Amino acid sequence: MEYSVMSIKTFFTIISVIGIVFGLGYLLAPAQIAPVFGWNVTPDVLLAQRFLGAHLLAWALIGWFARDDHDAPLLRGVLIAGAVGFPAGLVVTVVGIRSGVINALSWPIAAAYLFGAGGSAYFLTSRLQKH
């Protein structure tokens, strides 16, 4: 019998909660969040944060509504998107931190992307029907 650390439902739920929290924050309160991560509070940065918030909210809802689904092709599609998108976000975040564009308080964002990338890869390569 194979045991997993977490179910795909738990993974999607965690990713969704993270996405909803950050997404709503970036969408509704970018001027308050920007300084925390070392971003300038300028109209273009605030707009970019709102775009990011909208994206995170959309991803969170996709994960939320997919968490109870048992359709392997649908789950595979969502996981492929995560296996591509989360590592891209991780790279962008790490480059931003290392270059000084954003500050060290952004490491939790990198950790969230790493969690999403690892979970997507894990469930994509495992047998979906067991989860």
Side-chain angles (χ1 to χ4, degrees):
M1 178 177 227
E2 181 180 325
Y3 294 96
S4 65
V5 176
M6 78 171 60
S7 69
I8 194 165
K9 180 176 181 171
T10 302
F11 170 68
F12 279 144
T13 300
I14 292 168
I15 287 298
S16 295
V17 169
I18 292 169
I20 289 169
V21 169
F22 279 95
L24 287 176
Y26 290 138
L27 195 58
L28 302 176
Q32 291 73 32
I33 292 177
V36 173
F37 298 112
W39 298 343
N40 298 318
V41 181
T42 60
D44 54 336
V45 170
L46 297 179
L47 180 63
Q49 279 189 279
R50 286 191 171 105
F51 282 134
L52 175 61
H55 159 77
L56 290 173
L57 195 54
W59 176 254
L61 292 173
I62 290 167
W64 186 259
F65 290 116
R67 77 188 195 289
D68 288 322
D69 208 302
H70 299 288
D71 181 21
L74 177 129
L75 293 174
R76 181 171 169 76
V78 173
L79 291 169
I80 288 170
V84 173
F86 288 127
L90 176 62
V91 169
V92 169
T93 303
V94 170
V95 167
I97 295 168
R98 304 270 301 152
S99 68
V101 173
I102 54 178
N103 65 31
L105 292 177
S106 300
W107 282 113
I109 296 170
Y113 279 125
L114 181 62
F115 175 75
S120 295
Y122 170 77
F123 287 111
L124 191 58
T125 59
S126 68
R127 293 176 61 193
L128 289 175
Q129 54 270 42
K130 288 189 177 182
H131 304 284

